[in-house]
Amino acid sequence: MKNNLKSIGISLWIVRIFAVLLAALTVGAYPVLRWYLQTFDWDKSDAKLIMLTIGMYCALPFAWLTLYALHKILTNLRAKKIFDENNVKMLGFASLSCFAVSAIGLVIILIYLPKFALSFAIVTVASFFVGLLVRVVQNVFKAAIDIKEENDLTV
């Protein structure tokens, strides 16, 4: 049990570190993307930079929502609230956020298909897959809560 609490504590710190990095990205997405394109990408077009920046800023609220949900779930786990409706709700927010990022990527792919679809296709498919995994975990948690409530009524 002590290792489990330690793992939860480490995970909370990782979520907090990601929140600091996400705050920096929120403030500096445009310069970071411009540097990335100038350094690693052969296509340095302004259209690509603008589209990447728009996509990034559209996805940022969902990243914040996902970090919030992870922090709430980990805080609940630390408090030994495992099969809790709040955890199910937070897992739902996280999966919907992943699906929203997929939708943003799909829109960008459809608008700029010939220019840089591959990079967005990878992000789109990955975020959709993660959203699907989180949705499955959410359904497992919901089923476990139902079983737990049924067992609590059985004497």
Side-chain angles (χ1 to χ4, degrees):
M1 187 62 160
K2 188 175 182 178
N3 285 339
N4 194 26
L5 287 175
K6 185 186 270 189
S7 175
I8 292 169
I10 291 168
S11 298
L12 275 168
W13 275 106
I14 291 171
V15 167
R16 292 173 185 147
I17 290 168
F18 269 97
V20 169
L21 294 173
L22 190 60
L25 185 62
T26 301
V27 172
Y30 181 79
V32 167
L33 290 172
R34 187 178 59 218
W35 169 82
Y36 173 79
L37 288 177
Q38 290 172 348
T39 306
F40 298 107
D41 197 10
W42 59 270
D43 180 12
K44 297 170 178 51
S45 69
D46 287 339
K48 188 171 187 176
L49 177 60
I50 291 168
M51 207 61 211
L52 282 170
T53 304
I54 290 169
M56 180 74 71
Y57 279 112
C58 287
L60 280 171
F62 300 108
W64 281 112
L65 181 60
T66 302
L67 283 177
Y68 172 76
L70 286 173
H71 194 273
K72 281 296 270 186
I73 290 167
L74 289 166
T75 303
N76 286 342
L77 291 176
R78 181 190 272 176
K80 296 185 180 29
K81 296 180 192 173
I82 298 161
F83 298 115
D84 186 74
E85 282 294 330
N86 287 328
N87 289 342
V88 172
K89 186 172 24 168
M90 291 299 126
L91 286 167
F93 288 150
S95 79
L96 289 176
S97 293
C98 291
F99 292 142
V101 170
S102 286
I104 292 166
L106 184 61
V107 168
I108 291 171
I109 288 169
L110 293 175
I111 292 173
Y112 282 95
L113 184 61
K115 294 199 179 202
F116 51 95
L118 182 61
S119 57
F120 274 95
I122 292 169
V123 171
T124 300
V125 170
S127 62
F128 187 83
F129 185 71
V130 170
L132 187 62
L133 286 173
V134 174
R135 182 61 55 160
V136 169
V137 171
Q138 178 193 19
N139 291 334
V140 169
F141 264 67
K142 181 63 179 150
I145 289 170
D146 292 343
I147 291 169
K148 181 180 176 267
E149 288 174 356
E150 188 176 313
N151 286 342
D152 287 345
L153 295 175
T154 305
V155 176

